[in-house]
Coordinates of all heavy atoms in Angstrom, one line a residue:
M1 N -22.4 -10.0 6.3 CA -20.9 -10.1 6.2 C -20.2 -9.1 7.2 O -19.2 -9.5 7.8 CB -20.6 -9.7 4.7 CG -19.1 -9.9 4.4 SD -18.7 -11.6 4.6 CE -17.0 -11.6 4.2
E2 N -20.8 -7.9 7.3 CA -20.2 -6.9 8.2 C -20.3 -7.4 9.7 O -19.4 -7.2 10.5 CB -20.8 -5.6 8.1 CG -20.6 -4.9 6.8 CD -21.5 -5.3 5.7 OE1 -22.6 -5.9 6.0 OE2 -21.2 -5.0 4.5
A3 N -21.3 -8.1 10.0 CA -21.5 -8.6 11.4 C -20.5 -9.7 11.7 O -19.9 -9.8 12.8 CB -22.9 -9.2 11.5
I4 N -20.1 -10.5 10.7 CA -19.1 -11.6 10.9 C -17.8 -11.0 11.1 O -17.0 -11.4 12.0 CB -19.1 -12.6 9.7 CG1 -20.5 -13.3 9.7 CG2 -18.0 -13.5 9.8 CD1 -20.6 -14.2 8.4
I5 N -17.4 -9.9 10.3 CA -16.2 -9.3 10.4 C -16.1 -8.6 11.8 O -15.0 -8.6 12.5 CB -16.0 -8.3 9.3 CG1 -15.8 -9.0 8.0 CG2 -14.8 -7.4 9.5 CD1 -15.8 -8.1 6.7
F6 N -17.2 -8.0 12.2 CA -17.2 -7.3 13.5 C -17.0 -8.3 14.7 O -16.3 -8.1 15.6 CB -18.5 -6.6 13.7 CG -18.7 -5.9 15.1 CD1 -17.9 -4.8 15.4 CD2 -19.5 -6.5 16.0 CE1 -18.0 -4.2 16.7 CE2 -19.6 -5.9 17.3 CZ -18.9 -4.7 17.6
L7 N -17.7 -9.5 14.6 CA -17.5 -10.5 15.6 C -16.1 -11.0 15.6 O -15.5 -11.3 16.7 CB -18.5 -11.7 15.4 CG -19.9 -11.4 15.7 CD1 -20.8 -12.5 15.3 CD2 -20.1 -11.0 17.2
I8 N -15.4 -11.2 14.5 CA -14.0 -11.6 14.4 C -13.1 -10.6 15.1 O -12.2 -10.9 15.9 CB -13.6 -11.9 13.0 CG1 -14.3 -13.1 12.4 CG2 -12.1 -12.1 12.9 CD1 -14.1 -13.3 10.9
Y9 N -13.4 -9.3 14.8 CA -12.7 -8.2 15.5 C -12.8 -8.2 17.0 O -11.8 -8.1 17.7 CB -13.2 -6.9 14.9 CG -12.9 -5.7 15.7 CD1 -11.6 -5.1 15.6 CD2 -13.8 -5.1 16.5 CE1 -11.3 -3.9 16.3 CE2 -13.5 -3.9 17.2 CZ -12.2 -3.4 17.1 OH -11.9 -2.2 17.8
V10 N -14.0 -8.4 17.5 CA -14.3 -8.5 18.9 C -13.6 -9.7 19.5 O -13.0 -9.6 20.6 CB -15.8 -8.5 19.2 CG1 -16.1 -8.8 20.7 CG2 -16.4 -7.2 18.8
V11 N -13.6 -10.8 18.9 CA -13.0 -12.0 19.4 C -11.4 -11.8 19.5 O -10.8 -12.2 20.5 CB -13.3 -13.3 18.6 CG1 -12.4 -14.4 18.9 CG2 -14.8 -13.6 18.8
I12 N -10.8 -11.3 18.4 CA -9.4 -11.0 18.5 C -9.1 -10.0 19.6 O -8.1 -10.2 20.3 CB -8.9 -10.5 17.1 CG1 -9.0 -11.7 16.1 CG2 -7.5 -10.1 17.2 CD1 -8.8 -11.3 14.6
A13 N -9.9 -8.9 19.7 CA -9.6 -7.9 20.7 C -9.8 -8.6 22.1 O -9.0 -8.3 23.0 CB -10.5 -6.8 20.5
W14 N -10.8 -9.4 22.3 CA -11.0 -10.0 23.6 C -9.8 -10.9 24.0 O -9.4 -10.9 25.1 CB -12.3 -10.9 23.5 CG -12.6 -11.6 24.8 CD1 -12.1 -12.8 25.2 CD2 -13.4 -11.1 25.8 NE1 -12.6 -13.1 26.4 CE2 -13.4 -12.1 26.8 CE3 -14.2 -10.0 26.0 CZ2 -14.2 -12.0 28.0 CZ3 -14.9 -9.9 27.2 CH2 -14.9 -10.8 28.2
N15 N -9.3 -11.7 23.0 CA -8.2 -12.5 23.3 C -6.9 -11.7 23.6 O -6.1 -12.1 24.4 CB -7.9 -13.5 22.1 CG -8.9 -14.6 22.0 OD1 -9.5 -14.9 23.0 ND2 -9.1 -15.1 20.8
S16 N -6.8 -10.6 22.9 CA -5.7 -9.7 23.1 C -5.7 -9.1 24.5 O -4.7 -9.0 25.2 CB -5.6 -8.6 22.1 OG -5.4 -9.1 20.8
I17 N -6.9 -8.7 25.0 CA -7.1 -8.2 26.3 C -6.8 -9.3 27.3 O -6.1 -9.0 28.3 CB -8.5 -7.6 26.5 CG1 -8.7 -6.4 25.7 CG2 -8.8 -7.3 28.0 CD1 -10.2 -5.9 25.7
S18 N -7.3 -10.5 27.1 CA -7.0 -11.5 28.0 C -5.5 -11.9 28.1 O -5.0 -12.1 29.2 CB -7.8 -12.8 27.6 OG -9.2 -12.6 27.7
Y19 N -4.9 -11.9 27.0 CA -3.4 -12.1 26.9 C -2.7 -11.1 27.7 O -1.8 -11.4 28.6 CB -2.9 -12.1 25.5 CG -1.4 -12.2 25.4 CD1 -0.7 -13.3 25.6 CD2 -0.7 -11.0 25.1 CE1 0.7 -13.4 25.5 CE2 0.7 -11.0 25.0 CZ 1.4 -12.2 25.2 OH 2.7 -12.2 25.1
L20 N -3.0 -9.8 27.5 CA -2.3 -8.7 28.2 C -2.6 -8.8 29.7 O -1.7 -8.5 30.6 CB -2.6 -7.4 27.6 CG -2.1 -7.1 26.2 CD1 -2.6 -5.8 25.7 CD2 -0.6 -7.1 26.2
Q21 N -3.8 -9.1 30.0 CA -4.2 -9.2 31.4 C -3.5 -10.3 32.1 O -3.0 -10.1 33.2 CB -5.7 -9.4 31.5 CG -6.3 -9.4 32.9 CD -7.8 -9.6 32.9 OE1 -8.4 -9.8 31.8 NE2 -8.4 -9.6 34.0
N22 N -3.3 -11.4 31.5 CA -2.6 -12.5 32.1 C -1.1 -12.3 32.2 O -0.5 -12.6 33.2 CB -2.8 -13.8 31.2 CG -4.2 -14.3 31.4 OD1 -4.9 -14.1 32.3 ND2 -4.7 -15.1 30.4
R23 N -0.5 -11.6 31.2 CA 0.9 -11.3 31.2 C 1.2 -10.3 32.4 O 2.3 -10.3 32.9 CB 1.4 -10.7 29.9 CG 1.3 -11.7 28.8 CD 2.1 -12.9 29.0 NE 3.5 -12.6 29.2 CZ 4.4 -13.4 29.7 NH1 4.1 -14.6 30.0 NH2 5.7 -13.1 29.8
M24 N 0.3 -9.4 32.7 CA 0.5 -8.4 33.8 C 0.2 -9.1 35.1 O 0.4 -8.4 36.1 CB -0.4 -7.2 33.6 CG 0.0 -6.3 32.4 SD -0.9 -4.8 32.3 CE -2.5 -5.3 31.9
G25 N -0.4 -10.2 35.1 CA -0.7 -10.9 36.4 C -1.9 -10.4 37.1 O -2.1 -10.5 38.3
L26 N -2.8 -9.9 36.3 CA -4.1 -9.3 36.9 C -5.1 -10.4 36.9 O -5.7 -10.9 35.9 CB -4.6 -8.2 36.0 CG -3.7 -6.9 35.9 CD1 -4.4 -5.9 35.0 CD2 -3.5 -6.3 37.3
T27 N -5.3 -10.9 38.1 CA -6.4 -11.9 38.3 C -7.3 -11.3 39.4 O -6.9 -10.6 40.3 CB -5.9 -13.3 38.8 OG1 -5.1 -13.0 40.0 CG2 -5.1 -13.9 37.7
F28 N -8.6 -11.6 39.2 CA -9.6 -11.0 40.0 C -10.4 -12.1 40.7 O -11.0 -12.9 40.0 CB -10.5 -10.1 39.2 CG -9.8 -9.0 38.5 CD1 -9.4 -9.1 37.2 CD2 -9.5 -7.8 39.2 CE1 -8.7 -8.0 36.6 CE2 -8.8 -6.8 38.6 CZ -8.5 -6.9 37.3
F29 N -10.4 -12.0 42.0 CA -11.3 -12.9 42.8 C -12.3 -12.0 43.5 O -12.0 -11.3 44.4 CB -10.5 -13.7 43.8 CG -9.4 -14.5 43.2 CD1 -8.1 -14.1 43.2 CD2 -9.7 -15.8 42.6 CE1 -7.1 -14.9 42.6 CE2 -8.7 -16.6 42.1 CZ -7.4 -16.1 42.0
M30 N -13.5 -12.1 43.0 CA -14.6 -11.2 43.5 C -15.9 -11.9 43.5 O -16.0 -13.1 43.1 CB -14.6 -10.0 42.6 CG -14.8 -10.2 41.2 SD -14.7 -8.8 40.2 CE -13.0 -8.6 39.9
N31 N -16.9 -11.2 43.8 CA -18.3 -11.7 43.8 C -18.8 -11.7 42.4 O -18.2 -11.2 41.4 CB -19.2 -10.9 44.8 CG -19.2 -9.5 44.4 OD1 -18.8 -9.0 43.4 ND2 -19.7 -8.7 45.4
L32 N -20.0 -12.2 42.2 CA -20.6 -12.3 40.9 C -20.9 -10.9 40.3 O -20.7 -10.8 39.1 CB -21.9 -13.1 41.0 CG -22.6 -13.5 39.7 CD1 -21.6 -14.3 38.8 CD2 -23.9 -14.3 40.0
R33 N -21.2 -10.0 41.1 CA -21.5 -8.6 40.6 C -20.2 -8.0 40.0 O -20.2 -7.4 38.9 CB -22.1 -7.7 41.7 CG -22.4 -6.3 41.2 CD -23.1 -5.6 42.3 NE -23.5 -4.3 41.9 CZ -22.7 -3.2 42.0 NH1 -21.6 -3.2 42.6 NH2 -23.2 -2.0 41.6
G34 N -19.1 -8.2 40.7 CA -17.8 -7.7 40.3 C -17.4 -8.4 39.0 O -16.8 -7.7 38.1
F35 N -17.7 -9.7 38.9 CA -17.3 -10.4 37.7 C -18.1 -9.9 36.5 O -17.6 -9.8 35.4 CB -17.6 -11.9 37.9 CG -17.3 -12.7 36.7 CD1 -16.0 -13.0 36.2 CD2 -18.3 -13.2 35.9 CE1 -15.8 -13.7 35.1 CE2 -18.1 -14.0 34.8 CZ -16.8 -14.2 34.4
A36 N -19.4 -9.6 36.7 CA -20.3 -9.1 35.7 C -19.8 -7.8 35.2 O -19.8 -7.5 34.0 CB -21.7 -9.1 36.1
Q37 N -19.4 -6.9 36.1 CA -18.9 -5.6 35.7 C -17.6 -5.7 35.0 O -17.4 -5.0 34.0 CB -18.6 -4.7 37.0 CG -19.9 -4.2 37.6 CD -19.6 -3.4 38.9 OE1 -18.5 -3.5 39.4 NE2 -20.6 -2.6 39.3
L38 N -16.7 -6.6 35.4 CA -15.5 -6.8 34.7 C -15.7 -7.3 33.3 O -15.1 -6.9 32.3 CB -14.6 -7.8 35.4 CG -13.3 -8.2 34.7 CD1 -12.3 -7.0 34.7 CD2 -12.6 -9.4 35.5
L39 N -16.7 -8.2 33.1 CA -17.1 -8.8 31.8 C -17.6 -7.7 30.9 O -17.2 -7.6 29.8 CB -18.1 -9.9 32.0 CG -18.4 -10.7 30.8 CD1 -17.2 -11.6 30.4 CD2 -19.6 -11.6 31.1
F40 N -18.4 -6.8 31.5 CA -19.0 -5.7 30.7 C -17.9 -4.7 30.3 O -17.9 -4.3 29.1 CB -20.0 -4.9 31.6 CG -20.5 -3.7 31.0 CD1 -21.4 -3.7 29.9 CD2 -20.1 -2.4 31.4 CE1 -21.9 -2.5 29.3 CE2 -20.5 -1.3 30.8 CZ -21.4 -1.3 29.8
Y41 N -17.0 -4.4 31.1 CA -15.9 -3.4 30.8 C -15.0 -4.1 29.8 O -14.4 -3.4 28.9 CB -15.2 -2.9 32.0 CG -16.0 -2.0 32.8 CD1 -16.2 -2.2 34.2 CD2 -16.7 -0.9 32.2 CE1 -17.0 -1.3 34.9 CE2 -17.4 0.0 32.9 CZ -17.6 -0.2 34.3 OH -18.4 0.7 35.0
K42 N -14.8 -5.4 29.9 CA -13.9 -6.0 29.0 C -14.5 -6.1 27.6 O -13.8 -5.8 26.6 CB -13.6 -7.5 29.5 CG -12.3 -8.0 29.2 CD -12.1 -9.3 30.0 CE -10.9 -10.0 29.4 NZ -10.7 -11.3 30.1
V43 N -15.8 -6.3 27.5 CA -16.5 -6.3 26.2 C -16.4 -4.8 25.6 O -16.2 -4.6 24.4 CB -17.9 -6.8 26.3 CG1 -18.7 -6.5 25.1 CG2 -18.0 -8.2 26.6
L44 N -16.7 -3.9 26.5 CA -16.7 -2.5 26.0 C -15.3 -2.1 25.5 O -15.1 -1.4 24.5 CB -17.1 -1.6 27.2 CG -17.5 -0.1 26.8 CD1 -18.7 -0.1 25.9 CD2 -17.8 0.6 28.1
A45 N -14.2 -2.5 26.2 CA -12.9 -2.2 25.8 C -12.5 -2.9 24.5 O -11.9 -2.4 23.6 CB -11.9 -2.6 26.9
A46 N -13.0 -4.2 24.3 CA -12.8 -4.9 23.1 C -13.4 -4.2 21.9 O -12.8 -4.2 20.8 CB -13.3 -6.3 23.2
I47 N -14.6 -3.7 22.1 CA -15.3 -3.0 21.0 C -14.7 -1.7 20.7 O -14.4 -1.4 19.5 CB -16.8 -2.9 21.3 CG1 -17.4 -4.3 21.4 CG2 -17.5 -2.0 20.3 CD1 -18.9 -4.3 21.9
L48 N -14.5 -0.9 21.7 CA -14.1 0.5 21.5 C -12.5 0.7 21.3 O -12.1 1.5 20.6 CB -14.5 1.4 22.7 CG -16.1 1.5 22.8 CD1 -16.4 2.3 24.0 CD2 -16.7 2.1 21.6
L49 N -11.8 -0.1 22.0 CA -10.3 0.1 22.0 C -9.6 -1.1 21.3 O -8.3 -1.2 21.5 CB -9.8 0.3 23.4 CG -10.3 1.5 24.2 CD1 -9.9 1.5 25.6 CD2 -9.9 2.8 23.4
G50 N -10.3 -2.0 20.7 CA -9.6 -3.1 20.0 C -8.6 -2.7 19.0 O -7.6 -3.3 18.9
W51 N -8.9 -1.6 18.3 CA -7.9 -1.1 17.3 C -6.6 -0.8 17.9 O -5.6 -0.8 17.2 CB -8.5 0.1 16.5 CG -8.8 1.2 17.4 CD1 -10.0 1.4 18.1 CD2 -7.9 2.3 17.8 NE1 -9.8 2.6 18.9 CE2 -8.6 3.1 18.7 CE3 -6.6 2.6 17.4 CZ2 -8.0 4.3 19.2 CZ3 -6.1 3.8 17.9 CH2 -6.8 4.6 18.8
L52 N -6.6 -0.4 19.2 CA -5.3 -0.1 19.9 C -4.7 -1.3 20.6 O -3.5 -1.5 20.6 CB -5.6 1.0 20.9 CG -4.5 1.6 21.7 CD1 -3.5 2.3 20.7 CD2 -5.0 2.6 22.7
I53 N -5.6 -2.1 21.2 CA -5.1 -3.2 22.0 C -4.5 -4.4 21.1 O -3.5 -5.0 21.5 CB -6.3 -3.8 22.9 CG1 -6.7 -2.7 23.9 CG2 -5.9 -5.0 23.6 CD1 -8.0 -2.9 24.6
I54 N -5.1 -4.6 20.0 CA -4.7 -5.8 19.2 C -3.2 -5.6 18.7 O -2.4 -6.5 18.9 CB -5.6 -6.0 17.9 CG1 -7.0 -6.4 18.4 CG2 -5.0 -6.9 17.0 CD1 -8.1 -6.4 17.4
P55 N -2.8 -4.4 18.2 CA -1.4 -4.3 17.8 C -0.4 -4.3 19.0 O 0.7 -4.9 18.9 CB -1.3 -2.9 17.1 CG -2.7 -2.5 16.8 CD -3.6 -3.3 17.7
I56 N -0.9 -3.8 20.1 CA 0.0 -3.9 21.3 C 0.2 -5.3 21.7 O 1.4 -5.7 22.0 CB -0.6 -3.0 22.5 CG1 -0.6 -1.6 22.1 CG2 0.1 -3.3 23.8 CD1 -1.4 -0.7 23.1
A57 N -0.8 -6.1 21.7 CA -0.7 -7.5 22.1 C 0.2 -8.3 21.1 O 1.0 -9.1 21.5 CB -2.0 -8.2 22.3
W58 N 0.0 -8.0 19.8 CA 0.8 -8.7 18.8 C 2.3 -8.3 18.9 O 3.1 -9.1 18.7 CB 0.3 -8.4 17.4 CG -1.0 -9.1 17.1 CD1 -1.6 -10.1 17.9 CD2 -1.9 -8.9 16.0 NE1 -2.8 -10.5 17.3 CE2 -2.9 -9.8 16.1 CE3 -1.8 -8.1 14.9 CZ2 -3.9 -9.9 15.2 CZ3 -2.8 -8.2 13.9 CH2 -3.9 -9.1 14.1
I59 N 2.6 -7.0 19.2 CA 4.0 -6.6 19.3 C 4.6 -7.2 20.5 O 5.7 -7.7 20.5 CB 4.0 -5.0 19.4 CG1 3.7 -4.4 18.0 CG2 5.4 -4.6 19.9 CD1 3.5 -2.9 18.0
H60 N 3.8 -7.3 21.6 CA 4.3 -7.9 22.8 C 4.6 -9.4 22.6 O 5.6 -9.9 23.1 CB 3.3 -7.7 24.0 CG 3.9 -8.2 25.3 ND1 3.7 -9.4 25.8 CD2 4.5 -7.5 26.3 CE1 4.3 -9.6 26.9 NE2 4.8 -8.4 27.3
K61 N 3.7 -10.1 21.9 CA 4.0 -11.5 21.6 C 5.2 -11.7 20.7 O 6.0 -12.6 20.9 CB 2.8 -12.1 20.9 CG 1.6 -12.4 21.8 CD 0.4 -13.0 21.1 CE -0.8 -13.2 21.9 NZ -1.9 -13.8 21.2
A62 N 5.4 -10.7 19.8 CA 6.5 -10.8 18.9 C 7.9 -10.6 19.6 O 8.9 -11.2 19.3 CB 6.4 -9.8 17.7
I63 N 7.8 -9.7 20.5 CA 9.1 -9.4 21.3 C 9.4 -10.5 22.3 O 10.6 -10.8 22.5 CB 8.9 -8.0 22.1 CG1 8.8 -6.9 21.1 CG2 10.0 -7.8 23.1 CD1 8.5 -5.6 21.7
K64 N 8.4 -11.1 22.9 CA 8.6 -12.1 23.9 C 9.1 -13.3 23.2 O 9.9 -14.0 23.1 CB 7.2 -12.5 24.5 CG 7.3 -13.5 25.5 CD 5.9 -13.9 25.9 CE 6.0 -15.3 26.5 NZ 4.9 -16.2 26.2

């Protein structure tokens, strides 16, 4: 049960990061190594900073 809740948390945080990244206009055109690093850091940010990123994205969506 805890694993399912954790996966839901990571998915919501991942979507919030993607939303904020798209709203800021950050797009990356790079090689496969750079893409893999970006993916790694995005997962790390979703896991460690999701508690901070999720409310920011929700507030931004509500204001918009």
Side-chain angles (χ1 to χ4, degrees):
M1 186 63 178
E2 292 85 15
I4 293 171
I5 293 172
F6 177 73
L7 287 175
I8 292 170
Y9 164 80
V10 170
V11 167
I12 293 172
W14 179 274
N15 288 335
S16 297
I17 291 171
S18 295
Y19 171 77
L20 292 173
Q21 184 179 2
N22 289 336
R23 294 303 299 167
M24 289 188 293
L26 298 176
T27 52
F28 299 96
F29 300 100
M30 58 185 82
N31 57 15
L32 188 57
R33 184 174 182 266
F35 177 75
Q37 286 178 343
L38 178 67
L39 193 64
F40 172 75
Y41 289 128
K42 216 169 161 181
V43 168
L44 196 61
I47 292 171
L48 298 177
L49 298 174
W51 61 273
L52 181 64
I53 294 169
I54 293 169
I56 291 172
W58 285 353
I59 290 170
H60 188 270
K61 284 181 184 178
I63 291 173
K64 181 189 155 214

